[in-house]
Amino acid sequence: MNLIMLGPPGAGKGTQAAMLAVQLGIPHVASGDLFREALKAETELGLTAKSYMDRGELVPDEVTIAMIRERLLKSDCDKGIILDGFPRTIEQTKALTELLAEQGKTIDAALFIDASEDELVRRLSSRWTCRNCQAIYNLISNPPREKGKCDVCGGELYQRADDVPETVRNRIRVYWDQTSPLIDYYRDEGLLITIESEGGIDHVQAKILEALQSA
Ligand code: AP5
Ligand code: MG
Ligand code: ZN
């Protein structure tokens, strides 16, 4: 199964994709995580991405598409993938269709997770992420068992540099300008599944699994 997670910053794409990856036994491929890993490793890709990420702007399509292309060619993607944060522009959408077609694959569904802007800002201002494995926590809705420490790997939790209010506002603006047209694109393709993300993380996961079963 090849799935796309669509939705604004803070909607819960990463949270739900990580849970789905366990449920479905296929890899979670998150463009933002790949950029953050590159940044941690201080590669050229990481340094290029940083200047855009810090401002809440999109990394250029050319760079992003090349990175995803490399990732999709790895053999663990053979059985399926959950793409989180990619595609984010019409250009990336076209590139993805071509990349998959080269391997005889197609997209099965685009899960559009939505929440109100107030809720997005609230979630992002209380998000903590593991520096080591990128597991996602929230001080209000999903706190770690031990303060500042990852439940999964024991790594240190930190607040993403792009979660400061000014950058969050710009990320939401960029989402409306450049990414929201993808909602209509996948609706027209007959692939869109819309999930409202109120009601807690487990409830949202149950709604997604139910929607996928009847898709
Ligand atoms: P990226 O890392 O993809 O960030 P984003 O899209 O802004 O999305 P977030 O990760 O902030 O939100 P999410 O939907 O994953 O929410 P989460 O599950 O964490 O991208 C970062 C940057 O990288 C971009 O700005 C850009 O510069 C660059 N980039 C990445 N991809 C790119 C691309 N394709 N092209 C160009 N540039 C690209 O949840 C948020 C919080 O809410 C958490 O604390 C969580 O615990 C909590 N939560 C989740 N669900 C619920 C719920 N149902 N109820 C209550 N709390 C919840
Ligand atoms: Mg995310
Ligand atoms: Zn961790």
Side-chain angles (χ1 to χ4, degrees), residues 2 11 16 21 31-32 63 67 69 74 77 79 96 101 131 133-134 151 158 181 184 191 193 201 205-206 211:
N2 299 307
Q16 297 299 331
S31 44
V63 176
M67 175 182 76
R69 180 190 178 80
K74 295 198 173 147
C77 296
K79 279 190 296 176
L96 175 63
R131 213 179 270 290
C133 75
Q134 308 225 37
D151 292 353
Y158 79 109
D184 281 341
L191 296 174
I193 297 175
I201 291 168
Q205 177 74 185

Side-chain angles (χ1 to χ4, degrees), residues 13-15 33 36 84 127 136 160:
K13 302 181 295 296
T15 300
D33 288 357
R36 281 182 288 276
D84 157 16
R127 170 168 65 184
I136 304 160
R160 273 170 47 179

